[in-house]
Amino acid sequence: MNKNEIALTPPMGWNSWDCYGPGVTEEQLLGNAQYMADHLKEFGWEYVVCDIQWSEPNAGKESPYYVPFAWLTMDEYGRLLPAPERFPSAGEGKGFGPIAQKIHDLGLKFGIHIMRGVPRLAVHKHLPVLGTDTTCDKIAAANSICRWNTDMYGIDPAKPGAQAYYDSIFQLYASWGVDFVKVDDICNTNAYPDAPYSAEKEIEMIRKAIDKCGRPMVLSLSPGPAVIEKAWHLRKHANMWRITDDFWDRWDLLKNMFERCEVWERQVSPGCWPDCDMLPLGRIRLHLRGYQGPLGYEQGGDWTELTKDEQITMMSLWCMFRSPLMMGGEMRENDEFTLSLLTNKEILRMHRQGEEPHQVRRSDRSCVWKSRDWEDGSTYVALFNLRDKPAEVSAYFDELELTGKYAVRDLWNHRDLGEEEEGLAASLPAHGAGVYRLKWVAFEEAAQ
């Protein structure tokens, strides 16, 4: 199967990291899956993704952060397995199969996070690589390590058995029923700071392994920022790639995303989705609740620090740009406002059916984006107020390359605003946004 046929539209789902860090459990995964099935599935949300450290039995218990050189659960071939202490249904060698089946039974899809490479424990134990006469220590690249996580060594693609190891783990994931794999420390690896895209051969091995495993899987690469000079390689091998480092609920990070989206706008197409990262909405950082640490989140379990207007701006940009949408908060604690952001059919139509997203204009004070609905040819326009105070933001039809008279609809407020011949203007709150759908009036009259 052509990898671009797997994700014809930007993937939409939930990822456990923003709310549970490295310590998510089976109950939390399935609880959020049930919420998605009950409240979000009809709007296009479908992936439930278990993030990092699922093979570590005690992750999240003694520390909310990574434990150096932690013990990991694995099989006799050095393939990581979900820890039964946190995922009880994974016992007796069942892996993520039972969880994936329950999620599939809800009409949803299941995803996992992995680190690139081979586990250090498998290397130190000289475990065999399935289907070969070599061992894990002979395929490892001991100088290719992640600076923020000690679990893995990179794999040397020149070593016999290197491809076989990746083949073996994706065969395992296929047997579990995995639909989505997020591979970390690979899009912009810090193993070699002077060569941020140094793991491209591992990306190619992973692509081959997915193609061999017999099961369609979305391939997502992290962290960013991705290197625009390697866009051709990313497009060839991946479905998603991060254009930023971890994105959190801060205005400065959100404002910076406008520049990142401008850089990557021409790379957006079916099966190829530059990724703005997760949506830190609702209740996040639950794994830090009660923890006294150095990062300033000692309370933990707090509500997103983005204002409501900033949350609308984030959703507007992500949907206009057509970034994948991965909700990061504990969905079972969503309030009405958060749920409304995730279920606005008109905004989500723009996300699913928009094409050729393009930044029209940007300054420190405002920004304008547009795209086109591939089905009926209508134009989407987003106006952004980047100032720290309320302001009017406008866009003339000539700069939008539009001529004629258009019926204007406000997509966030679900209101028809009448007809315009010259342009759009909106009074927006600080850090706020407005999104509009413009239909050519002549087209509407002809349709009648």
Side-chain angles (χ1 to χ4, degrees):
M1 175 180 284
N2 184 323
K3 67 96 179 168
N4 290 339
E5 297 177 0
I6 298 171
L8 292 174
T9 57
M12 300 168 60
W14 174 83
N15 180 291
S16 63
W17 174 256
D18 281 1
C19 51
Y20 291 114
V24 69
T25 65
E26 180 168 340
E27 182 279 327
Q28 292 158 350
L29 278 180
L30 294 178
N32 277 275
Q34 187 65 59
Y35 180 95
M36 183 181 292
D38 293 342
H39 301 283
L40 298 177
K41 182 172 70 171
E42 65 177 292
F43 298 92
W45 302 83
E46 60 178 342
Y47 290 96
V48 177
V49 181
C50 179
D51 211 87
I52 197 167
Q53 301 304 115
W54 40 263
S55 62
E56 184 183 343
N58 296 313
K61 293 182 179 179
E62 299 178 1
S63 168
Y65 303 110
Y66 303 124
V67 177
F69 307 104
W71 182 265
L72 305 176
T73 306
M74 67 180 67
D75 69 8
E76 67 270 31
Y77 298 109
R79 301 180 297 181
L80 295 177
L81 303 173
E85 293 85 351
R86 292 165 51 204
F87 306 96
S89 69
E92 300 178 354
K94 296 178 182 178
F96 272 128
I99 289 178
Q101 186 60 56
K102 289 180 180 179
I103 290 174
H104 292 158
D105 289 345
L106 293 172
L108 303 173
K109 297 180 180 179
F110 177 59
I112 60 174
H113 169 291
I114 66 171
M115 297 291 291
R116 69 178 176 93
V118 58
R120 285 177 184 256
L121 284 173
V123 170
H124 297 159
K125 289 184 174 185
H126 308 284
L127 295 180
V129 175
L130 180 65
T132 75
D133 57 2
T134 192
T135 52
C136 290
D137 54 299
K138 294 180 181 178
I139 65 171
N143 63 336
S144 179
I145 57 175
C146 177
R147 293 187 178 181
W148 46 268
N149 185 287
T150 59
D151 292 346
M152 315 290 280
Y153 288 115
I155 291 179
D156 185 342
K159 297 292 183 64
Q163 183 65 55
Y165 180 80
Y166 272 122
D167 291 348
S168 75
I169 64 173
F170 279 91
Q171 289 168 6
L172 182 63
Y173 305 155
S175 74
W176 291 343
V178 171
D179 306 293
F180 180 110
V181 180
K182 172 185 174 182
V183 185
D184 215 337
D185 193 42
I186 198 165
C187 183
N188 190 330
T189 176
N190 56 24
Y192 305 102
D194 295 332
Y197 202 65
S198 58
E200 62 183 287
K201 295 299 182 182
E202 286 197 72
I203 293 173
E204 293 172 13
M205 287 193 289
I206 290 169
R207 176 77 265 155
K208 290 178 182 177
I210 293 176
D211 293 343
K212 289 180 183 178
C213 78
R215 184 176 181 82
M217 297 181 191
V218 171
L219 176 57
S220 170
L221 305 181
S222 289
V227 182
I228 188 63
E229 292 80 7
K230 292 293 184 176
W232 67 272
H233 192 265
L234 290 160
R235 292 179 59 85
K236 182 176 180 180
H237 298 289
N239 300 109
M240 297 166 48
W241 54 88
R242 284 260 297 277
I243 62 174
T244 179
D245 203 341
D246 286 1
F247 177 82
W248 283 103
D249 48 334
R250 288 169 25 199
W251 169 246
D252 62 323
L253 297 179
L254 177 52
K255 187 175 182 180
N256 179 258
M257 197 64 68
F258 285 88
E259 180 178 354
R260 297 183 185 277
C261 290
E262 177 187 2
V263 170
W264 286 95
E265 64 176 43
R266 294 185 180 181
Q267 307 304 326
V268 176
S269 65
C272 301
W273 307 112
D275 181 11
C276 294
D277 200 14
M278 287 173 278
L279 299 163
L281 295 170
R283 187 75 69 183
I284 55 179
R285 292 184 282 268
L286 285 163
H287 64 299
L288 294 172
R289 182 174 284 170
Y291 177 73
Q292 297 298 316
L295 297 185
Y297 298 131
E298 286 82 0
Q299 298 304 313
D302 54 336
W303 210 253
T304 181
E305 294 184 4
L306 294 173
T307 68
K308 287 185 177 181
D309 293 316
E310 290 167 351
Q311 293 174 60
I312 290 173
T313 289
M314 177 175 64
M315 286 296 295
S316 300
L317 180 60
W318 267 237
C319 289
M320 170 62 77
F321 177 67
R322 305 193 76 198
S323 169
L325 300 179
M326 287 289 165
M327 168 64 175
E330 168 51 79
M331 294 190 293
R332 293 172 292 181
E333 297 191 31
N334 281 351
D335 61 2
E336 290 186 9
F337 176 76
T338 304
L339 183 59
S340 74
L341 293 175
L342 305 177
T343 57
N344 185 316
K345 289 184 177 181
E346 295 183 90
I347 293 292
L348 293 176
R349 176 186 171 120
M350 176 180 71
H351 179 253
R352 306 288 279 187
Q353 297 190 184
E355 62 180 4
E356 300 177 0
H358 170 60
Q359 180 179 278
V360 176
R361 165 170 43 87
R362 179 170 56 87
S363 69
D364 288 338
R365 302 166 67 174
S366 65
C367 185
V368 178
W369 276 74
K370 75 168 188 176
S371 67
R372 182 181 62 182
D373 190 291
W374 62 262
E375 185 176 57
D376 67 9
S378 58
T379 299
Y380 296 108
V381 179
L383 306 178
F384 298 95
N385 177 21
L386 306 183
R387 296 188 236 187
D388 298 332
K389 60 182 180 180
E392 181 177 280
V393 179
S394 61
Y396 290 102
F397 283 175
D398 59 350
E399 65 178 325
L400 296 172
E401 299 181 335
L402 300 176
T403 57
K405 184 184 292 185
Y406 291 82
V408 180
R409 182 166 177 81
D410 181 335
L411 300 190
W412 278 115
N413 295 302
H414 308 293
R415 291 188 302 158
D416 292 324
L417 301 182
E419 298 175 355
E420 296 289 344
E421 295 183 73
E422 296 184 359
L424 295 174
S427 296
L428 299 174
H431 305 169
V435 181
Y436 310 91
R437 185 174 183 176
L438 280 61
K439 288 188 177 182
W440 188 34
V441 172
F443 176 85
E444 292 297 299
E445 292 174 348
Q448 295 175 2

